[in-house]
Structures are given as structure tokens and as C-alpha cells.
Amino acid sequence: MSAEKTLRLLLVGAGVRLGAALIIVAALWAAFFWATSTPGAL
Amino acid sequence: MIWEIVIQPFADFGFMRRALLGCIAVSLGATPVGVFLMLRRMSLTGDAMAHAILPGAAVGFLISGLSLGAMTVGGLIAGMAVALLSGLVTRVTALREDASLAAFYLISLALGVLIVSTRGSNVDLMHVLFGTVLALNNDALVLLCSIASLSVLVLAVLFRPLVLECADPQFLRSVSKLSAVTHFTFLSLVVLNLVGGFHALGTLMAVGIMILPAAAARFWAKSIGGLILVAVAIAFLSSLSGLLLSYHYSLPSGPAIILVAGIIYAVSLVLGPAGGLIAQVLPRRPLQN
């Protein structure tokens, strides 16, 4: 099996997982802005 | 009642929100890495690496006090150095990897404690060993969120090679040059997450949020995706419960979080449907056509 074909097989589904990962990262940074900008007693 | 116990501490106090966010970031980045460490039978390697970052962080502390950047860079350099040196010793001598890693981490731990003690106070030493999750500032949160983001993105791309390397590293090595890249990237992720976790939970506790949820998830899920999801959920739950226990009963937050994860592990060990004690004792259903 060629190296390129192997690499392609190893990365099957990476696009979908990357999409899901980007959503998680966006949610994390949204939480960061919420936690650091909401006023609190301390 | 629930509002007062669960929501109010986070609604009223900024430091509680920051602590929760820090723990969520550590859980998102470190726990999936812990699942892969467990699958590769490297759980104790994670523990050894957590101690190995101490002298680097201590040198950073020696140079510029409790500086986030200096301690992070120092920890990263020390962690990677110990990982590479122990690998090198294993390759060129008769010593096996576990013994070589144990030797390096014990030397590192002693060196780190010695360096911090020479200049800092006991309070500084406690800060380095047990972290200060309730005192995370904006810079620390940016670091933790960046490490978590990088880990999640890298794991998403390298998921299949990592799974393959857990199952059959020789096969991956024989069919692709990606094996070395995957292994090195994974080791870097371990060190990076331990350095991030060290700011929140300290060098001694950082590995707890990495390994305990992964070990508990092993009793609830069988697929690797399922393991990661359950482990992250357990890490979130441990963080939330640990912080609330720490708030209401004036307990140290890091140990409280890790102890909750430990309790969830113990419950999973008994009740978990995937190989837990009760599931082992109960008679199995006969195979169906």
C-alpha cells in the first residue's frame, strides 16, 4: 500500500472530528469570556 | 436550595467561576490524553512525567518568582527532557523504560523541591505542589484554555493513528511513517497538559484529573469514543462537586476535586456495567442467535 494511501486511511473522519473539536473550542472560549467579564464580588 | 448550594457560589464570586473554567479546560485537554495513556498502559508514566516537570518549574520560579510564563517554559523543557532522556537510556542501556523513567522522575522531584526550598517559602512550595485553582488569573486561564484547545484539535486529527498505536504499535510502525510523529506529538500533549494542570492543581494532583476519570470511564464504556466522552463527563462532575465541597466546607480545592474523582472511580469499580465487580459476579446472559 502506498504511503499516501495509508496516510489517507489513517486520517479518515478527521474532518468531522475536527468540526466537532472546533465547536468544543468555541464553547470553551465563550465560557472564558463569560467567566472573566461577568461582574462578581471577587 | 439547589440554587444556593450549586449556582450561587459561581454567580456571586468571580474566583469560583475562574476556578470552574480552569477545571473545565484541564478536563477537556488532559482527560482524553489520560484515556490514551491508560489504553497504552502508560498511566504511571503520566504520574512520573507530572513529577518530572517540577525542577523546570522550580528553575522558572528561581529566575522570576511565581511567573506563569517562566514556570510554564521551565516545566515544558524539563518534562520533554525527562521523556527523551528516559527513552534514550532505554535504547542504549539494559535498563527498561519503567525503571529509567522512575529514576529520572525521583531525581527530578528531589531537585525541584530542593530548588523551591532554597529560595521560596513553604507557601511557595505548597503552591507548586498543590496548585492554586481558586486563584487563577486571566493569564493562567488563557494558558489553560489554549492548551485545552490545542489538545482537542490535535486529538481530533490524530485520533485514528493514536487508536492504532494503542492497539498495535508495531503495525502502525510497519505501514506508516506517522508512528514516530504520533508518538512524539502524544508525549508533547502529555507534558503540555501536565504543565497546564500543574498551574491549577499542582504537580502532585495534575495527573489525578488525567488518570482517575479515564480509569472510572473504563467501567462504563467499551468504545474509545465512549471512553473519552464518559471520562470528560466524570472530570467535569468531579471539578464541579470538588469546587462546591471546597467552598461549602472550607476544604483545599485541588485534593477535593481529585477525591471526588476517586469516589466516582470506586463507585464505578463496583457498579460499572463494563467489567465492574457486580457485573463480574452476576450470571451472564446466554448468547442469542
Side-chain angles (χ1 to χ4, degrees):
Chain A
M1 199 186 291
S2 71
E4 193 188 333
K5 210 169 180 179
T6 311
L7 187 67
R8 211 177 296 161
L9 272 175
L10 286 173
L11 296 179
V12 166
V16 178
R17 285 193 298 274
L18 199 59
L22 282 171
I23 293 170
I24 293 168
V25 168
L28 180 66
W29 284 100
F32 169 81
F33 287 111
W34 166 75
T36 53
S37 59
T38 316
L42 283 171
Chain B
M1 176 75 172
I2 290 177
W3 170 267
E4 281 172 14
I5 293 173
V6 181
I7 309 289
Q8 204 165 29
F10 300 105
D12 285 354
F13 298 107
F15 74 90
M16 287 295 285
R17 283 197 295 274
R18 287 160 185 277
L20 183 64
L21 178 70
C23 290
I24 285 175
V26 172
S27 306
L28 266 180
T31 308
V33 172
V35 169
F36 283 107
L37 273 176
M38 182 188 70
L39 291 174
R40 293 166 73 147
R41 298 175 188 181
M42 287 170 69
S43 302
L44 286 175
T45 305
D47 191 32
M49 298 294 291
H51 294 90
I53 63 176
L54 189 59
V59 169
F61 169 77
L62 204 63
I63 294 169
S64 49
L66 287 171
S67 149
L68 186 75
M71 287 172 81
T72 302
V73 173
L76 279 175
I77 293 172
M80 289 313 292
V82 167
L84 295 175
L85 277 175
S86 61
L88 187 72
V89 168
T90 311
R91 283 204 175 83
V92 298
T93 68
L95 204 63
R96 294 180 63 173
E97 192 169 14
D98 58 336
S100 142
L101 201 63
F104 274 107
Y105 103 71
L106 288 168
I107 295 167
S108 302
L109 184 62
L111 190 64
V113 172
L114 199 75
I115 293 171
V116 177
S117 306
T118 52
R119 195 180 132 177
S121 63
N122 278 348
V123 176
D124 296 326
L125 186 62
M126 292 294 276
H127 167 88
V128 172
L129 292 179
F130 299 106
T132 48
V133 72
L134 294 180
L136 291 172
N137 59 17
N138 275 8
D139 292 342
L141 283 179
V142 168
L143 178 78
L144 293 181
C145 289
S146 304
I147 290 174
S149 305
L150 184 71
S151 300
V152 169
L153 293 173
V154 170
L155 287 177
V157 175
L158 287 182
F159 183 78
R160 276 169 76 100
L162 274 171
V163 171
L164 199 52
E165 212 183 41
C166 293
D168 192 348
Q170 300 296 334
F171 174 72
L172 182 63
R173 211 167 294 162
S174 65
V175 298
S176 170
K177 288 175 184 168
L178 213 59
S179 171
V181 178
T182 306
H183 187 69
F184 187 75
T185 311
F186 179 68
L187 273 184
S188 308
L189 280 186
V190 172
V191 175
L192 206 58
N193 277 290
L194 285 172
V195 171
F198 137 76
H199 287 296
L201 300 167
T203 50
L204 297 182
M205 295 287 153
V207 77
I209 203 77
M210 202 176 240
I211 299 298
L212 277 172
R218 175 66 188 76
F219 296 106
W220 298 101
K222 286 181 176 167
S223 70
I224 296 179
L227 272 175
I228 292 176
L229 286 178
V230 175
V232 171
I234 290 173
F236 281 179
L237 186 65
S238 310
S239 302
L240 181 68
S241 315
L243 283 173
L244 288 172
L245 280 173
S246 144
Y247 176 82
H248 290 295
Y249 297 101
S250 303
L251 299 170
S253 44
I257 291 167
I258 303 304
L259 266 178
V260 173
I263 290 167
I264 295 174
Y265 167 74
V267 171
S268 307
L269 189 75
V270 178
L271 300 178
L277 287 174
I278 290 179
Q280 301 264 24
V281 173
L282 285 177
R284 293 182 185 187
R285 275 183 295 177
L287 290 173
Q288 291 171 349
N289 289 326

